[in-house]
Amino acid sequence: MTFVFKKIKILTFLFFIFINLNFSSYAHMKGTFSTRKEAKKKSLELGCVGTHKNQDKWLPCENEKELHRYLRM
């Protein structure tokens, strides 16, 4: 019986990790732009301030943490 509960706990943990990663990728898909102007426009729509660059893409909001908070609303 303990084995079954252990297995359920592990599966539940993995499920929540999967959901969390899925939200993160979805946030990035909605929030990356090729120009700063597009990112600034999205920033205004979201209600956050500023833009930031991640590799060759522009993202709304001042930083990654703030962006994810606004995209999940």
Side-chain angles (χ1 to χ4, degrees), residues 1-51:
M1 193 124 173
T2 308
F3 177 74
V4 173
F5 287 121
K6 206 177 226 184
K7 208 169 195 176
I8 290 173
K9 284 171 66 175
I10 291 170
L11 289 174
T12 304
F13 176 73
L14 292 174
F15 174 74
F16 283 111
I17 287 177
F18 173 75
I19 287 178
N20 190 29
L21 291 176
N22 198 17
F23 282 139
S24 183
S25 350
Y26 184 64
H28 273 278
M29 288 176 9
K30 290 192 323 183
T32 59
F33 301 93
S34 52
T35 67
R36 188 176 193 171
K37 185 177 179 179
E38 292 173 311
K40 190 169 188 165
K41 181 180 174 188
K42 185 65 174 181
S43 184
L44 293 172
E45 289 175 16
L46 292 172
C48 61
V49 178
T51 59

Side-chain angles (χ1 to χ4, degrees), residues 52-69:
H52 69 282
K53 197 166 187 179
N54 186 347
Q55 295 177 5
D56 64 336
K57 298 291 182 181
W58 285 97
L59 296 98
C61 304
E62 291 180 339
N63 58 52
E64 200 78 17
K65 185 177 181 179
E66 184 181 357
L67 171 63
H68 284 271
R69 186 174 65 227

